[in-house]
Amino acid sequence: MNSQLLAFLLFAVFGLLEITVVGADQGVSTSSPDDPVVTIINTSSQDKAYDVETDSTAPQSAFHSCTACITVGAGQTVTFHPGPFNGALTANHHTGTRHELNFVSTPGGIWYDDDMQFGMSDETLGPSDNRNKIGSTDSAIAGEQDTLAKANAAWSHTDSGKQQALLDSGYVAGDKQKLTMVRMDAQAPPLVINWLQMDADFNAYIGAGSVDGNVATAVDHAADKKTTFLETNKMTITIYQ
């Protein structure tokens, strides 16, 4: 994984923290307009819960010294003021997409990506002003608005033998014409990881990326390309399902 984001590997050391939801505005109580902001917009018909993981740079006041999650009600918006933050918000108690945000390494900017190694959900992460990637016309949005549609877009171009092997894996369901389900978790076999990362080109880490001490594969390098830097500290997570 990109060296700017290696601190995410330390989450297990620092553990999970709970955020008490207070109306639609939460986090540090003394935030200023120049501080980082993460706006979470839930366009779905279901409440969405997030685990919050961070390293020791985050002020405890952002998390009320608690131990569980942010909940965003169906059709609601929550504005989260994280203060100095290098960490992640993970949907559905670690079964959904993990939104990784590093406001710390480059002051005034952010390194970020979406990670689906441990689970996936229909969500995106991107700059609140909808700017493109630096020096490019490419969108700066990470994640997938519709994970099943993204998988189906690649399915018709997948050869019959690989289709059958993927169906047999249990990580996709349907038939050779159309998928009705796609999922990820930490036990997913290389066949599934490679297909989602390389063939379906999910806009997220499916593979682990380049990690110090490991020999990076083509899948790892493809995952690394999903990390983006922008000169902004205002980000938006949008929940679609």
Side-chain angles (χ1 to χ4, degrees):
M1 185 172 289
N2 188 293
S3 60
Q4 297 285 351
L5 295 169
L6 286 177
F8 291 133
L9 300 175
L10 301 176
F11 288 161
V13 175
F14 296 106
L16 294 179
L17 301 166
E18 179 176 25
I19 299 177
T20 302
V21 175
V22 181
D25 201 17
Q26 58 189 283
V28 294
S29 58
T30 57
S31 62
S32 77
D34 295 329
D35 290 339
V37 175
V38 181
T39 303
I40 309 172
I41 303 171
N42 188 354
T43 69
S44 78
S45 59
Q46 301 179 16
D47 294 351
K48 182 72 72 167
Y50 288 91
D51 291 333
V52 177
E53 300 167 278
T54 185
D55 67 12
S56 58
T57 63
Q60 287 297 312
S61 60
F63 311 107
H64 308 291
S65 300
C66 305
T67 57
C69 65
I70 297 174
T71 297
V72 187
Q76 301 298 307
T77 297
V78 167
T79 304
F80 175 43
H81 302 272
F85 186 84
N86 180 12
L89 280 69
T90 306
N92 304 337
H93 300 295
H94 275 67
T95 64
T97 298
R98 177 188 183 98
H99 306 289
E100 301 187 329
L101 308 108
N102 181 350
F103 292 106
V104 175
S105 291
T106 306
I110 181 172
W111 294 89
Y112 67 96
D113 64 72
D114 270 359
D115 190 322
M116 298 182 182
Q117 294 179 76
F118 309 107
M120 60 171 59
S121 46
D122 295 343
E123 307 185 23
T124 59
L125 167 67
S128 297
D129 60 6
N130 294 314
R131 68 180 67 188
N132 292 329
K133 292 183 177 180
I134 294 174
S136 173
T137 58
D138 293 342
S139 171
I141 300 295
E144 295 294 346
Q145 179 174 341
D146 188 331
T147 53
L148 183 58
K150 187 62 175 278
N152 268 309
W155 192 239
S156 62
H157 304 292
T158 302
D159 68 70
S160 179
K162 183 179 286 187
Q163 283 184 331
Q164 190 58 58
L166 287 163
L167 289 167
D168 291 343
S169 76
Y171 284 83
V172 302
D175 55 35
K176 292 189 177 181
Q177 282 68 53
K178 184 178 181 180
L179 294 176
T180 57
M181 182 277 292
V182 60
R183 68 183 182 91
M184 264 296 294
D185 61 29
Q187 287 72 51
L191 172 71
V192 173
I193 294 169
N194 292 0
W195 185 75
L196 291 172
Q197 190 80 78
M198 305 295 286
D199 297 348
D201 192 27
F202 269 58
N203 192 20
Y205 275 78
I206 305 294
S210 301
V211 180
D212 285 352
N214 291 346
V215 177
T217 66
V219 174
D220 294 325
H221 288 305
D224 288 339
K225 293 179 181 178
K226 306 305 180 182
T227 295
T228 300
F229 171 76
L230 289 178
E231 294 174 336
T232 183
N233 61 6
K234 306 297 186 288
M235 300 294 289
T236 295
I237 293 169
T238 305
I239 303 158
Y240 294 96
Q241 184 62 44

